[in-house]
Amino acid sequence: MRKLIFVLLLVFVKGLSQGVLPVSRYKVHQVNQVNQPVLDVISTGSTFAYSLRKLRSSYTGYAIRIRNINNNSTADIFFDKNDGVSNISNAVIVTPGTSPYSVGQTVPLSTFRKTSNLSVEIWYNQNVSGFNAIQNTVANQPFLDFSAGSGFLPALLFSGTNSANSRFLVVQGNISEICPGGLGSFLLVTKPTANAVQGSFGYINSSTNWRWSFHFNWNDGNLYFDAAELCCQGNRNLNNNANLNLWKQYSFVRDATTKSVRTNTIARMNNSSSIQATSSPGFGFGIGIYMENSAPGNITGYQGAISEVIMFEKALSNQEIIPLEHNQMDYWKIY
């Protein structure tokens, strides 16, 4: 009986050392990875990274520049103590407008806001490069809402009925730098709110019809992805009508020969492209509308809300992209 007990105990201890403990350590690592800022999860640098939360633990800059639409004062907004944008964030006055504040004064965002609506002039890039997303035209600035996002978190609201009154931001960089060689991975947290003839994101060279752009959702409920190629090649769309008015995480990846789309980590399109990825000269990348050369396209802008957008200048592998997708879904409470 003693021998039997000793043998069973030895088998149990050996099983723990070879199986249970490594699995437990792996699970803890995964949880920590999900809870840390998303750009700390990956060593590959991003071209641009915009969010209403802090994306890198070492980032010390502003989140956004906003405008109080009642008095035309503007302020740069820091992340709050919880690394998000909220009423307890600090606002540093940039222009006083007709407000009682002075340039450089710091006040709580709730004080700066009072009862006014807020629009966004700059969405600051949390990468070390430039490439801030800017909108200087007041009528085209998206609105900031503190609870319109998934899980009642903050979001930017985009709308419009034509290119003149659509709300959008423009990435301040050349498309050849944003997507070198045409390769790239575009990750965002968004809720489309209409099926319409809309140009949602990206860039189009109108003289050659080369594109790195998106239509979603188009009036047929489809999502169209034309990347690093002349439009309009095959294997470019999928139906996204079921996700209308739902918050989801989307990933768009263009490698040398393939375009892929993922929603909440699920592969929805992985098609060979009709032509190999190429690059194009040009300025700007639209967030909320596609840029056509150096101006917004003659099309309605995006109808929806966005909380986070990140672009990598390479095609991320599944091993690289899956932790980022889980991180975005976990923080923004997307299921």
Side-chain angles (χ1 to χ4, degrees):
M1 178 64 70
R2 289 178 183 172
K3 283 186 177 182
L4 179 59
I5 292 173
F6 177 76
V7 170
L8 290 174
L9 180 61
L10 182 62
V11 170
F12 176 72
V13 172
K14 186 176 180 181
L16 283 176
S17 65
Q18 293 183 350
V20 175
L21 291 179
V23 171
S24 176
R25 285 198 299 270
Y26 176 75
K27 288 182 178 178
V28 170
H29 172 71
Q30 287 292 87
V31 170
N32 289 339
Q33 190 179 70
V34 166
N35 289 337
Q36 65 182 308
V38 66
L39 293 183
D40 291 350
V41 173
I42 186 170
S43 58
T44 297
S46 60
T47 304
F48 56 72
Y50 313 122
S51 185
L52 298 174
R53 63 157 170 163
K54 185 180 286 191
L55 297 178
R56 190 190 305 278
S57 57
S58 61
Y59 182 72
T60 58
Y62 300 117
I64 51 176
R65 177 176 294 178
I66 59 175
R67 182 179 64 89
N68 181 312
I69 68 170
N70 284 348
N71 57 35
N72 280 321
S73 58
T74 63
D76 283 328
I77 308 303
F78 280 111
F79 292 106
D80 64 20
K81 63 182 180 181
N82 299 313
D83 293 335
V85 171
S86 74
N87 271 318
I88 63 172
S89 295
N90 282 330
V92 181
I93 306 303
V94 177
T95 55
T98 58
S99 76
Y101 309 121
S102 58
V103 175
Q105 183 178 357
T106 299
V107 298
L109 180 49
S110 58
T111 301
F112 175 82
R113 175 192 182 192
K114 293 187 177 177
T115 59
S116 174
N117 288 328
L118 301 173
S119 64
V120 176
E121 181 179 319
I122 302 176
W123 208 355
Y124 286 103
N125 184 10
Q126 295 185 47
N127 195 4
V128 294
S129 63
F131 300 148
N132 292 327
I134 296 177
Q135 180 53 264
N136 291 318
T137 303
V138 168
N140 297 130
Q141 293 173 352
F143 289 112
L144 170 66
D145 190 297
F146 289 98
S147 60
S150 181
F152 300 102
L153 291 166
L156 301 191
L157 307 182
F158 295 78
S159 62
T161 57
N162 56 63
S163 60
N165 67 13
S166 290
R167 300 183 181 275
F168 60 93
L169 299 164
V170 182
V171 179
Q172 302 296 293
N174 292 320
I175 190 67
S176 58
E177 298 175 285
I178 294 169
C179 309
L183 307 184
S185 302
F186 185 80
L187 285 72
L188 77 159
V189 174
T190 189
K191 178 180 73 171
T193 56
N195 292 337
V197 179
Q198 56 187 309
S200 310
F201 308 97
Y203 171 84
I204 292 177
N205 184 324
S206 61
S207 61
T208 64
N209 217 8
W210 182 95
R211 302 184 177 201
W212 224 106
S213 67
F214 311 79
H215 304 285
F216 94 88
N217 288 351
W218 194 248
N219 62 357
D220 57 6
N222 284 345
L223 185 161
Y224 291 84
F225 179 34
D226 300 302
E229 59 197 342
L230 303 182
C231 186
C232 297
Q233 309 300 320
N235 301 330
R236 62 189 292 256
N237 65 282
L238 59 91
N239 191 271
N240 200 52
N241 192 57
N243 290 324
L244 190 66
N245 291 311
L246 296 178
W247 280 97
K248 298 291 179 182
Q249 187 280 334
Y250 293 87
S251 299
F252 301 85
V253 180
R254 180 58 153 103
D255 65 18
T257 60
T258 304
K259 294 180 291 188
S260 62
V261 180
R262 300 161 59 88
T263 304
N264 286 14
T265 76
I266 305 300
R268 301 185 59 210
M269 182 177 86
N270 188 12
N271 295 325
S272 61
S273 180
S274 300
I275 58 176
Q276 185 157 334
T278 58
S279 187
S280 173
F283 180 82
F285 187 103
I287 305 296
I289 203 169
Y290 62 65
M291 296 297 290
E292 192 166 349
N293 299 337
S294 59
N298 186 23
I299 193 170
T300 298
Y302 183 53
Q303 312 294 295
I306 305 172
S307 293
E308 186 166 299
V309 183
I310 306 175
M311 173 68 112
F312 293 90
E313 58 181 19
K314 60 173 276 189
L316 298 178
S317 66
N318 282 350
Q319 184 178 8
E320 291 172 308
I321 206 168
I322 288 173
L324 307 181
E325 293 169 334
H326 280 292
N327 185 292
Q328 288 187 317
M329 291 170 62
D330 182 76
Y331 181 87
W332 295 106
K333 306 182 187 306
I334 293 174
Y335 309 104

